[in-house]
Amino acid sequence: MAIDKSEFVRCSELTKENTDDDLEGIQALCAEAERFIASFKWCKSVLRTYFCFGFRYAGVFFIEIEPLGEADSEMWVIVGDIPPAYIDTSTPTADEALEDYCWWMHEWIGAVREGKPVDEMMPVLTRETYLEIAPSLELADMLEGRVRFIEENLLEEEPESS
């Protein structure tokens, strides 16, 4: 199933006219998304990066890479003032990728609060070094605040049932 990229903007083509927010902030997130994916040994090179949506503190991107080995050649990437992550394209839309990201972060937060292991969960990584964050209640609280902000400001609201 091919991802519909018609509504995305190539990061190399971002202008003040095609972003809703601070151009420099979005460009910085584009570069951050590319650095994050390029940090994995299964990424030979980043071919194309598309800005899907977001604002200067968090964004969703669609990235095409030249993979090494059996890695996927396309993925969703979420970066910003939040732990970076990638989501495979079995999730068909950028909105759903961000919903999945939030779900995984809530799972990590819940496990930390309950004192359960997080080894088998999506890793929660630092923004600059991409090292896994050691679970703590303080970090779980901080992450929860950021995830809720994303849910309230970036995810489309569910239609009300009548």
Side-chain angles (χ1 to χ4, degrees), residues 37-44 68:
I37 288 303
S39 75
F40 291 96
K41 60 185 170 193
W42 42 258
C43 177
K44 183 174 181 181
L68 290 172

Coordinates of all heavy atoms in Angstrom, one line a residue, residues 37-44 68:
I37 N 17.1 9.4 11.9 CA 17.1 8.2 11.1 C 18.5 7.8 10.6 O 18.8 6.6 10.6 CB 16.1 8.4 9.9 CG1 14.6 8.3 10.5 CG2 16.3 7.3 8.8 CD1 14.3 7.0 11.2
A38 N 19.3 8.8 10.2 CA 20.6 8.5 9.8 C 21.5 7.9 10.9 O 22.5 7.2 10.6 CB 21.3 9.8 9.2
S39 N 21.1 8.0 12.1 CA 21.9 7.5 13.2 C 21.8 5.9 13.3 O 22.6 5.3 14.0 CB 21.5 8.1 14.6 OG 20.2 7.6 15.0
F40 N 20.8 5.3 12.6 CA 20.6 3.9 12.7 C 21.6 3.2 11.7 O 21.7 3.7 10.5 CB 19.2 3.5 12.5 CG 18.3 3.9 13.6 CD1 17.6 5.1 13.5 CD2 18.2 3.1 14.7 CE1 16.7 5.5 14.6 CE2 17.3 3.5 15.8 CZ 16.6 4.7 15.7
K41 N 22.2 2.1 12.1 CA 23.1 1.4 11.2 C 22.4 0.8 9.9 O 23.0 0.5 9.0 CB 23.9 0.4 11.9 CG 23.1 -0.7 12.6 CD 24.0 -1.7 13.4 CE 23.1 -2.6 14.2 NZ 23.8 -3.3 15.2
W42 N 21.1 0.7 10.0 CA 20.3 0.1 8.9 C 20.0 1.2 7.8 O 19.4 0.9 6.8 CB 19.1 -0.6 9.3 CG 18.3 0.0 10.4 CD1 18.3 -0.4 11.7 CD2 17.4 1.1 10.3 NE1 17.4 0.4 12.4 CE2 16.8 1.3 11.6 CE3 16.9 1.9 9.2 CZ2 15.9 2.3 11.8 CZ3 16.0 2.9 9.5 CH2 15.5 3.1 10.8
C43 N 20.4 2.4 8.1 CA 20.1 3.5 7.1 C 21.4 3.9 6.4 O 22.3 4.5 7.0 CB 19.6 4.8 7.9 SG 19.3 6.2 6.8
K44 N 21.5 3.5 5.1 CA 22.7 3.9 4.4 C 22.7 5.4 4.1 O 23.7 6.1 4.2 CB 22.7 3.1 3.1 CG 23.9 3.4 2.2 CD 24.0 2.5 1.0 CE 25.3 2.8 0.2 NZ 25.3 1.9 -1.0
L68 N 20.0 -0.5 4.5 CA 21.0 -1.5 4.4 C 20.3 -2.8 4.9 O 19.5 -2.7 5.9 CB 22.2 -1.2 5.3 CG 23.1 -0.1 4.9 CD1 24.1 0.2 5.9 CD2 23.8 -0.5 3.6

